[in-house]
Amino acid sequence: MREHNDREFCSAFSGGYVLRIDNEDKIFPQCCSDLGCIESWQDLVTDQVQNYYQGHPTPVVSLMDNFIIFDLTIKETDDEKFVPTPLQTIVKVNREELATAVEEVQKELQNFSVKLNKINTDNQLGIDHIEKLLIFGQYD
């Protein structure tokens, strides 16, 4: 018999993060993306482009000077398409500006963590580290 709070049957909240440049949405989370994908954005600003994941399909990511380049080109042989269809297939973002944006998101996630923990306490849910589970998908 399972207990009501079996962590392995839970996952992080679906969704992800939109890359907005000059008030224009450029890159959207794709299939299987969740709030835990913030770690991929953190990796990008520390030059770990090989770790980038925000669902599938995934753009090809490279570094050039102080910029991160996303290539959203889809070949005819690719099974999946980006949703929504990108208006540009090459998106270039300043790494320092992205680092600032990632810091802002981390602050928002910290505030969200506080709210989740309050809900957990107020409702006596008894879910250990609810914020790690629902934001990052961490089961331990």
Side-chain angles (χ1 to χ4, degrees):
M1 182 170 170
R2 283 188 297 184
E3 292 196 27
H4 72 282
N5 62 356
D6 286 343
R7 295 176 78 82
E8 66 269 14
F9 294 101
C10 296
S11 64
F13 285 127
S14 295
Y17 305 93
V18 174
L19 177 61
R20 176 177 282 180
I21 301 172
D22 297 328
N23 291 321
E24 206 173 307
D25 297 340
K26 302 288 185 173
I27 298 176
F28 296 84
Q30 299 298 304
C31 183
C32 300
S33 183
D34 61 41
L35 293 185
C37 289
I38 189 61
E39 294 172 349
S40 289
W41 292 98
Q42 292 167 335
D43 288 344
L44 278 181
V45 298
T46 59
D47 300 337
Q48 299 177 53
V49 297
Q50 72 280 2
N51 294 337
Y52 178 78
Y53 179 80
Q54 185 162 266
H56 53 88
T58 298
V60 174
V61 182
S62 59
L63 301 174
M64 183 177 73
D65 300 322
N66 197 35
F67 292 92
I68 299 169
I69 313 296
F70 297 86
D71 184 346
L72 291 92
T73 305
I74 296 289
K75 301 175 200 76
E76 286 185 29
T77 56
D78 290 341
D79 292 332
E80 294 183 297
K81 308 287 187 234
F82 288 100
V83 177
T85 302
L87 299 176
Q88 320 173 222
T89 55
I90 303 296
V91 176
K92 186 174 168 180
V93 63
N94 179 286
R95 189 179 331 186
E96 292 172 14
E97 291 175 7
L98 183 61
T100 299
V102 168
E103 286 176 23
E104 289 300 313
V105 171
Q106 289 171 319
K107 289 176 188 174
E108 288 183 33
L109 289 174
Q110 181 59 38
N111 291 336
F112 188 42
S113 293
V114 170
K115 291 177 183 178
L116 287 172
N117 283 317
K118 182 172 179 5
I119 290 168
N120 189 36
T121 300
D122 289 352
N123 293 284
Q124 301 176 350
L125 299 177
I127 302 172
D128 292 334
H129 304 289
I130 192 171
E131 77 288 357
K132 290 181 181 180
L133 179 65
L134 297 180
I135 295 174
F136 300 103
Q138 296 174 356
Y139 306 114
D140 301 334

